[in-house]
Amino acid sequence: MWGCLTDFSKTQFHAELNNALYPFGIQTPARVTFPQKNVDIQLSYKETVIRTISLQTDPKLSLQQNDISLLLSFDEIPESQLISQLNTLAEPIPLVLKIEQPMQVQTLKKELNGKYPSVIFWFQNKNGNDLIKTNPQAARARLDRLQDISPNSRVLITQNDASSLLENFSRLTFVDASNAQLLHEQLGKKVFYEELTLLQSNTQSYLALITGTETTVEWLIEKLPDLKKAGARIIPPPKMNL
């Protein structure tokens, strides 16, 4: 007997079949074929093979794994409860903390004190706009200062073709979010979920920059299992090639 079965465990099927047939004196030796992991189960009665069951995975139905990156931006360090929730996920999802001056980096690092493993800093002007986009000269001066007082810091870049501006900062790491999908609470839960699902297909971008709130963190925690079941693998955001 030949068939093509999907969406279940071949090992579990074999175990249940063996338990069901054992009282009748039927043995069920099996052979696994690699790398496909197909399973051939023989039904043997009194040392005679009376039937063979072949469990095969349809390659067209194999789960396609896609890499996606997620960033959560905050105006300040989030509450301890939110940090604990994100730590529980055990995923490489960095916190992006907005700053105006380089000295804030040392203060924020000290306040966090290792409570969260991945932090990126995002230079803003006093109006909350990306400083590198709005005032490149001021941004370069602050990056130079940051490199002196807190080397090895990570800085978010949202501007395309910013490589020339970032030359000679060998002690800083730049994270490229220039093509990120911007997600926030005002989108509503339905659209927020739809945008996250689009990352899975990589049709536009595989990176999302999420404005962090209690609500968006809750939505992310709810949706993440579905993304992973569909084949998403969360990876750190991309660094810029300078």
Side-chain angles (χ1 to χ4, degrees), residues 18-232:
N18 181 69
N19 291 337
L21 297 181
Y22 180 79
F24 302 101
I26 299 177
Q27 297 179 319
T28 61
R31 181 181 64 184
V32 181
T33 303
F34 291 96
Q36 299 86 354
K37 295 184 180 180
N38 294 331
V39 178
D40 293 326
I41 304 172
Q42 294 181 337
L43 307 187
S44 176
Y45 182 69
K46 294 183 178 181
E47 300 183 354
T48 300
V49 176
I50 58 175
R51 192 82 56 163
T52 298
I53 299 175
S54 181
L55 305 180
Q56 300 180 357
T57 300
D58 187 342
K60 296 179 181 179
L61 299 178
S62 297
L63 187 66
Q64 182 178 356
Q65 191 171 68
N66 290 319
D67 293 339
I68 65 175
S69 295
L70 303 171
L71 300 164
L72 278 166
S73 70
F74 293 88
D75 293 329
E76 56 188 19
I77 295 176
E79 297 291 335
S80 297
Q81 182 180 355
L82 278 183
I83 291 179
S84 296
Q85 289 177 312
L86 294 172
N87 276 324
T88 301
L89 295 177
E91 297 286 356
I93 303 175
L95 297 182
V96 177
L97 299 180
K98 300 175 183 178
I99 60 171
E100 291 185 33
Q101 299 296 333
M103 289 299 295
Q104 291 177 262
V105 171
Q106 289 183 318
T107 302
L108 291 169
K109 284 183 176 181
K110 185 177 180 179
E111 187 177 344
L112 273 169
N113 192 27
K115 294 177 183 177
Y116 197 78
S118 182
V119 181
I120 301 170
F121 299 98
W122 187 5
F123 275 106
Q124 310 262 302
N125 63 20
K126 63 181 180 180
N127 296 320
N129 298 316
D130 189 304
L131 185 65
I132 292 177
K133 286 183 176 180
T134 57
N135 193 337
Q137 185 175 358
R140 187 171 181 85
R142 293 180 194 183
L143 288 170
D144 190 57
R145 177 63 175 153
L146 177 62
Q147 182 167 241
D148 288 338
I149 66 175
S150 188
N152 303 317
S153 294
R154 295 197 295 168
V155 178
L156 191 74
I157 304 298
T158 63
Q159 178 181 339
N160 288 310
D161 302 323
S163 297
S164 59
L165 175 67
L166 306 177
E167 293 176 353
N168 302 319
F169 293 109
S170 59
R171 289 177 292 166
L172 297 176
T173 298
F174 297 99
V175 176
D176 185 6
S178 57
N179 293 317
Q181 295 290 99
L182 304 180
L183 305 183
H184 46 81
E185 187 175 339
Q186 288 69 32
L187 291 172
K189 188 174 184 178
K190 181 176 182 293
V191 175
F192 186 91
Y193 279 8
E194 289 173 351
E195 293 295 326
L196 281 178
T197 302
L198 281 177
L199 293 177
Q200 178 80 30
S201 62
N202 291 345
T203 55
Q204 296 178 336
S205 173
Y206 65 92
L207 186 148
L209 178 57
I210 304 169
T211 301
T213 64
E214 289 186 10
T215 299
T216 56
V217 170
E218 178 185 338
W219 290 349
L220 178 60
I221 291 173
E222 287 181 2
K223 186 62 177 177
L224 200 55
D226 291 336
L227 292 175
K228 296 179 71 173
K229 286 179 183 178

